[in-house]
Amino acid sequence: MRGVRKIVRERDFVAVVADNWWRANEALKKVRIEWDAGGNGAASNASIATMFEDGLVQQTLPQARRVGDAAAALAAAARVIEAEYRSPYLNHATMEPQTCTAWLKPDGFLEVWTSTQNGEASLAAAAEAAGLPPEKVEVHKMMLGGGFGRRGGRRTSSAKAWPSPGRCRACRSR
């Protein structure tokens, strides 16, 4: 397709590299993928509720601390009201785009823009994938709708990369 530079096929992901997001997304729609849902492929609201219920009755769970005697208090109560509240399982659906852009600069420095909740892990993964020491990698978190600074119309959190020392080259701040 026009604009598509490469399709990357790995064991657990497929990526389309194109000259813009729209073309990459359109090309990805045409890629036929048969996913193995794995061990949690059959998870449902019912199976998750059962897992939680089973966990509540286990007697061997670790206990951080015990204050009072709930069973004795309930037994001595004049009236006990019981209620059960449930809500369906909700996927963790982030607001920011689930994407990543990495730029390996001619000076051997890697700059990464990504949506992440763990900058340190992202930095370590990027450094390992590029074969670079962590101090040669900078990670910036992209977000939509919130953050600490602006760059190119997108908001970015933490202008300082994790844990790269010194100035953030892109944001020009510490």
Side-chain angles (χ1 to χ4, degrees), residues 71-128:
L74 287 170
R79 188 165 133 197
V80 175
I81 300 171
E82 290 187 37
E84 185 175 303
Y85 300 91
R86 293 179 184 244
S87 61
Y89 176 76
L90 300 173
N91 281 330
H92 178 72
T94 57
M95 296 289 289
E96 71 267 9
Q98 294 297 296
T99 186
C100 176
T101 299
W103 178 18
L104 183 56
K105 298 179 179 182
D107 64 359
F109 192 87
L110 181 65
E111 188 173 312
V112 179
W113 293 83
T114 187
S115 53
T116 182
Q117 292 184 8
N118 188 340
E120 292 83 5
S122 296
L123 186 140
E128 182 180 344

